[in-house]
Amino acid sequence: MEDACVFYNVNRNLPGHRCNATYTPTTRARVRTPMQWDNSTNGGFSSNEPWLPVGEKYATVNVASQTGVPGSHLEIYRSLQKMRKHNTIRNSNLKNFKIVTLTEHSFGFKREVEDVKQESVLVLINYGDRNESVTIDKLELFGSPKEISLKIVGRMSELKIDSKMAIDKTVVLAPYESIVATYNHGMAAVVTNMLLIAMILALMNFNL
Protein backbone atom coordinates (compact mmCIF):
# COMPACT_ATOMS: atom_id res chain seq x y z
CA MET A 1 0.00 0.00 0.00
CA GLU A 2 1.21 3.48 -0.86
CA ASP A 3 0.49 6.85 0.70
CA ALA A 4 -2.91 8.06 -0.50
CA CYS A 5 -3.80 11.54 -1.69
CA VAL A 6 -6.23 12.77 1.01
CA PHE A 7 -7.71 16.07 -0.09
CA TYR A 8 -8.80 18.83 2.26
CA ASN A 9 -12.52 18.37 1.63
CA VAL A 10 -12.50 14.66 2.62
CA ASN A 11 -10.14 14.89 5.58
CA ARG A 12 -12.24 14.79 8.72
CA ASN A 13 -9.33 15.10 11.13
CA LEU A 14 -9.18 18.48 12.84
CA PRO A 15 -5.44 19.03 12.16
CA GLY A 16 -6.20 18.60 8.48
CA HIS A 17 -8.92 21.26 8.63
CA ARG A 18 -6.38 23.74 9.90
CA CYS A 19 -4.37 23.32 6.70
CA ASN A 20 -5.18 25.77 3.93
CA ALA A 21 -3.59 23.70 1.16
CA THR A 22 -5.64 21.53 -1.20
CA TYR A 23 -3.59 18.52 -0.11
CA THR A 24 -2.86 17.88 3.56
CA PRO A 25 0.85 16.96 3.80
CA THR A 26 1.01 18.24 7.38
CA THR A 27 -1.13 15.35 8.69
CA ARG A 28 -0.63 11.59 8.69
CA ALA A 29 -3.99 10.94 7.05
CA ARG A 30 -2.26 9.82 3.85
CA VAL A 31 -0.72 6.81 5.64
CA ARG A 32 -3.85 5.93 7.62
CA THR A 33 -6.19 4.94 4.82
CA PRO A 34 -8.24 1.72 5.19
CA MET A 35 -6.58 -1.68 4.82
CA GLN A 36 -6.94 -2.99 1.27
CA TRP A 37 -8.15 -6.57 1.71
CA ASP A 38 -9.53 -7.28 -1.77
CA ASN A 39 -10.94 -5.59 -4.87
CA SER A 40 -14.49 -5.25 -3.58
CA THR A 41 -16.16 -2.02 -2.43
CA ASN A 42 -13.88 0.06 -0.20
CA GLY A 43 -11.21 -2.60 -0.61
CA GLY A 44 -13.20 -5.03 1.54
CA PHE A 45 -12.57 -2.82 4.57
CA SER A 46 -16.22 -1.95 5.19
CA SER A 47 -19.57 -1.84 3.40
CA ASN A 48 -20.05 1.65 4.80
CA GLU A 49 -18.13 4.74 3.79
CA PRO A 50 -14.86 4.72 5.78
CA TRP A 51 -13.53 7.69 7.74
CA LEU A 52 -10.76 8.21 5.18
CA PRO A 53 -10.88 7.29 1.47
CA VAL A 54 -9.43 3.98 0.25
CA GLY A 55 -6.20 4.15 -1.79
CA GLU A 56 -6.70 4.46 -5.54
CA LYS A 57 -4.87 1.20 -6.31
CA TYR A 58 -6.95 -0.99 -4.00
CA ALA A 59 -8.34 -3.04 -6.93
CA THR A 60 -4.89 -4.44 -7.77
CA VAL A 61 -2.87 -3.83 -4.59
CA ASN A 62 -4.56 -5.84 -1.86
CA VAL A 63 -4.11 -8.85 0.39
CA ALA A 64 -6.16 -11.22 -1.78
CA SER A 65 -4.19 -10.45 -4.95
CA GLN A 66 -0.81 -11.03 -3.24
CA THR A 67 -1.63 -14.05 -1.06
CA GLY A 68 0.36 -17.07 -2.23
CA VAL A 69 2.16 -15.11 -4.96
CA PRO A 70 5.93 -15.76 -4.70
CA GLY A 71 7.89 -12.55 -4.35
CA SER A 72 4.86 -10.37 -3.62
CA HIS A 73 5.27 -7.69 -0.97
CA LEU A 74 2.88 -9.56 1.32
CA GLU A 75 4.67 -12.92 1.03
CA ILE A 76 8.11 -11.31 1.53
CA TYR A 77 6.79 -9.63 4.68
CA ARG A 78 5.41 -12.95 5.92
CA SER A 79 8.76 -14.61 5.23
CA LEU A 80 10.54 -11.92 7.22
CA GLN A 81 8.12 -12.44 10.11
CA LYS A 82 8.92 -16.15 10.11
CA MET A 83 12.63 -15.37 9.97
CA ARG A 84 12.30 -13.35 13.18
CA LYS A 85 11.51 -16.64 14.92
CA HIS A 86 14.73 -18.22 13.61
CA ASN A 87 16.79 -19.73 16.45
CA THR A 88 19.79 -17.55 15.63
CA ILE A 89 17.83 -14.31 15.77
CA ARG A 90 15.84 -15.27 18.84
CA ASN A 91 18.74 -16.59 20.88
CA SER A 92 21.76 -14.55 19.76
CA ASN A 93 23.04 -11.41 21.44
CA LEU A 94 25.01 -8.36 20.33
CA LYS A 95 28.25 -10.31 20.65
CA ASN A 96 27.10 -12.42 17.72
CA PHE A 97 25.98 -9.42 15.65
CA LYS A 98 28.23 -7.55 13.23
CA ILE A 99 27.69 -4.90 10.53
CA VAL A 100 30.17 -4.55 7.67
CA THR A 101 30.31 -1.83 5.00
CA LEU A 102 30.72 -3.58 1.64
CA THR A 103 30.70 -0.73 -0.88
CA GLU A 104 29.79 2.95 -0.85
CA HIS A 105 26.09 2.14 -1.15
CA SER A 106 25.79 -1.32 0.38
CA PHE A 107 26.39 -3.13 3.63
CA GLY A 108 25.80 -6.48 5.22
CA PHE A 109 25.19 -7.77 8.72
CA LYS A 110 25.25 -11.19 10.31
CA ARG A 111 23.93 -12.95 13.39
CA GLU A 112 26.01 -16.01 14.18
CA VAL A 113 25.90 -18.93 16.56
CA GLU A 114 28.81 -21.16 17.45
CA ASP A 115 26.62 -24.26 17.66
CA VAL A 116 27.41 -26.24 14.49
CA LYS A 117 23.90 -27.70 14.53
CA GLN A 118 22.28 -24.28 14.03
CA GLU A 119 22.26 -21.91 11.08
CA SER A 120 23.61 -18.39 11.17
CA VAL A 121 21.85 -15.55 9.34
CA LEU A 122 23.29 -13.08 6.83
CA VAL A 123 21.66 -10.01 5.27
CA LEU A 124 22.98 -8.01 2.29
CA ILE A 125 21.47 -4.61 1.47
CA ASN A 126 21.96 -2.23 -1.44
CA TYR A 127 20.45 1.15 -0.57
CA GLY A 128 21.72 2.85 -3.73
CA ASP A 129 20.07 3.48 -7.09
CA ARG A 130 22.57 1.41 -9.10
CA ASN A 131 23.93 -2.14 -9.16
CA GLU A 132 26.47 -2.94 -6.45
CA SER A 133 28.97 -5.82 -6.65
CA VAL A 134 29.64 -7.19 -3.17
CA THR A 135 31.91 -9.94 -1.87
CA ILE A 136 30.38 -12.13 0.82
CA ASP A 137 33.62 -13.32 2.39
CA LYS A 138 34.34 -9.72 3.37
CA LEU A 139 32.02 -10.36 6.30
CA GLU A 140 34.40 -13.03 7.64
CA LEU A 141 31.74 -15.64 8.36
CA PHE A 142 32.46 -17.83 11.35
CA GLY A 143 33.82 -21.26 10.55
CA SER A 144 34.69 -20.30 6.96
CA PRO A 145 31.62 -21.90 5.31
CA LYS A 146 31.85 -22.65 1.62
CA GLU A 147 28.37 -21.40 0.68
CA ILE A 148 25.22 -19.66 1.82
CA SER A 149 21.60 -20.58 1.16
CA LEU A 150 19.30 -17.80 -0.08
CA LYS A 151 16.05 -17.65 1.91
CA ILE A 152 14.47 -14.30 1.00
CA VAL A 153 14.98 -12.29 -2.20
CA GLY A 154 13.05 -9.48 -3.87
CA ARG A 155 10.39 -10.05 -6.53
CA MET A 156 12.55 -8.51 -9.26
CA SER A 157 15.75 -10.23 -8.17
CA GLU A 158 17.63 -12.51 -10.53
CA LEU A 159 18.62 -14.62 -7.51
CA LYS A 160 16.49 -17.64 -6.61
CA ILE A 161 15.12 -18.68 -3.22
CA ASP A 162 16.76 -21.81 -1.74
CA SER A 163 19.62 -21.62 -4.22
CA LYS A 164 23.21 -21.97 -3.00
CA MET A 165 25.92 -19.40 -3.48
CA ALA A 166 29.66 -19.74 -2.90
CA ILE A 167 30.95 -17.15 -0.43
CA ASP A 168 33.94 -16.34 -2.63
CA LYS A 169 31.59 -15.33 -5.44
CA THR A 170 30.85 -11.68 -6.20
CA VAL A 171 27.14 -10.94 -5.83
CA VAL A 172 25.49 -8.22 -7.89
CA LEU A 173 22.70 -6.51 -5.95
CA ALA A 174 20.19 -4.58 -8.02
CA PRO A 175 19.20 -1.05 -6.96
CA TYR A 176 17.52 -1.13 -3.52
CA GLU A 177 17.76 -4.92 -3.41
CA SER A 178 18.18 -6.91 -0.22
CA ILE A 179 18.67 -10.63 0.37
CA VAL A 180 18.51 -12.82 3.47
CA ALA A 181 20.57 -16.01 3.63
CA THR A 182 21.57 -18.69 6.13
CA TYR A 183 24.69 -20.79 6.45
CA ASN A 184 26.16 -23.57 8.51
CA HIS A 185 29.66 -23.46 9.88
CA GLY A 186 32.31 -24.96 7.64
CA MET A 187 34.22 -28.12 8.45
CA ALA A 188 36.99 -25.94 9.82
CA ALA A 189 34.78 -25.00 12.76
CA VAL A 190 33.66 -28.60 13.26
CA VAL A 191 37.25 -29.89 13.25
CA THR A 192 38.34 -27.12 15.63
CA ASN A 193 35.58 -27.99 18.08
CA MET A 194 36.42 -31.69 17.87
CA LEU A 195 40.10 -31.00 18.50
CA LEU A 196 39.21 -28.79 21.45
CA ILE A 197 37.05 -31.51 22.99
CA ALA A 198 39.77 -34.08 22.40
CA MET A 199 42.35 -31.86 24.12
CA ILE A 200 40.07 -31.35 27.12
CA LEU A 201 39.45 -35.08 27.44
CA ALA A 202 43.18 -35.76 27.11
CA LEU A 203 43.97 -33.26 29.88
CA MET A 204 41.28 -34.74 32.11
CA ASN A 205 42.74 -38.25 31.63
CA PHE A 206 46.23 -36.94 32.27
CA ASN A 207 45.18 -35.34 35.55
CA LEU A 208 43.48 -38.55 36.63
Side-chain angles (χ1 to χ4, degrees), residues 145-162:
K146 299 298 182 183
E147 61 184 15
I148 61 174
S149 177
L150 302 182
K151 297 300 182 182
I152 302 175
V153 300
R155 182 172 63 88
M156 304 300 292
S157 178
E158 295 183 359
L159 304 172
K160 302 299 181 183
I161 295 177
D162 291 330

Side-chain angles (χ1 to χ4, degrees), residues 9-105:
N9 62 328
V10 297
N11 189 352
R12 303 176 185 179
N13 296 326
L14 290 179
H17 285 181
R18 299 191 187 102
C19 180
N20 294 324
T22 303
Y23 177 60
T24 56
T26 58
T27 74
R28 290 183 54 79
R30 62 190 183 279
V31 300
R32 291 175 173 163
T33 55
M35 183 67 187
Q36 296 161 198
W37 294 105
D38 53 40
N39 61 0
S40 62
T41 302
N42 297 322
F45 180 80
S46 174
S47 57
N48 298 314
E49 181 183 359
W51 183 259
L52 291 173
V54 180
E56 294 180 354
K57 297 182 179 180
Y58 79 89
T60 55
V61 180
N62 56 65
V63 173
S65 68
Q66 294 191 10
T67 298
V69 178
S72 68
H73 189 82
L74 176 66
E75 293 302 333
I76 288 178
Y77 188 84
R78 285 174 169 171
S79 297
L80 289 170
Q81 286 288 80
K82 291 179 181 179
M83 183 63 72
R84 289 189 65 196
K85 300 178 181 180
H86 192 283
N87 287 335
T88 304
I89 296 176
R90 188 172 66 244
N91 300 328
S92 65
N93 51 45
L94 289 178
K95 185 180 70 172
N96 306 106
F97 177 74
K98 185 178 181 180
I99 302 176
V100 177
T101 299
L102 300 173
T103 65
E104 183 180 359
H105 297 100

